[in-house]
Amino acid sequence: MTFEQMLEKVRYEGAYPTRERAEEAVRLVLSGLGRQLTGDERVELAARLPLEAARILTEQIPDTQPLTGWAMVKDLATRTGATPATTRWDTGSVLTTVAALAGPDLLTRILDRLPAGYALLFGRAELAQPA
């Protein structure tokens, strides 16, 4: 998939009125994910993304204190001045496309590495861990 195709998929999935609005969402969300994801999963995900998307993800320095999924959404909303609801929509629209590019095995490993709250953002059910 090219970056242009990725933007069109996000535009369609997120019902964005323009390609530019979809690109804003992609840049915002991939930057946020890049600050959260580390290790081999980060490298493997970057390899499966279009080059420009991979660059956005990997240019970010991972945070020393990872955020939960909801905390990441709130952080992105604060950075842009958007509402948490709009930012949640943007995040889900982008990350469901990222999930399709990652594939189920890598996505499972990514979710295992991230704190709680990311599964729904990627379009997966968040299952409780056995006690």
Side-chain angles (χ1 to χ4, degrees):
M1 177 180 283
T2 67
F3 187 64
E4 294 298 321
Q5 290 169 325
M6 181 182 186
L7 293 178
E8 281 306 312
K9 182 166 175 52
V10 170
R11 180 179 177 194
Y12 177 79
E13 296 295 329
Y16 295 110
T18 64
R19 182 191 160 285
E20 291 75 20
R21 179 64 187 94
E23 185 171 353
E24 287 173 17
V26 167
R27 291 184 180 284
L28 173 71
V29 174
L30 287 179
S31 293
L33 183 61
R35 289 189 293 275
Q36 302 307 310
L37 190 59
T38 61
D40 291 341
E41 291 76 16
R42 177 183 170 112
V43 173
E44 285 185 49
L45 179 59
R48 295 182 190 193
L49 294 175
L51 182 59
E52 191 166 343
R55 196 173 295 131
I56 296 165
L57 178 82
T58 58
E59 284 177 347
Q60 304 306 309
I61 298 170
D63 289 341
T64 56
Q65 292 292 351
L67 301 174
T68 65
W70 180 238
M72 184 185 87
V73 168
K74 290 192 298 187
D75 177 64
L76 294 175
T78 300
R79 289 171 186 266
T80 62
T83 66
T86 299
T87 306
R88 166 58 181 91
W89 181 265
D90 291 347
T91 304
S93 298
V94 173
L95 292 184
T96 54
T97 299
V98 169
L101 291 169
D105 294 337
L106 177 56
L107 181 57
T108 297
R109 291 184 15 241
I110 288 170
L111 292 173
D112 286 345
R113 178 169 286 279
L114 292 170
Y118 283 88
L120 288 174
L121 297 173
F122 279 100
R124 274 203 184 169
E126 181 110 32
L127 302 175
Q129 296 296 324

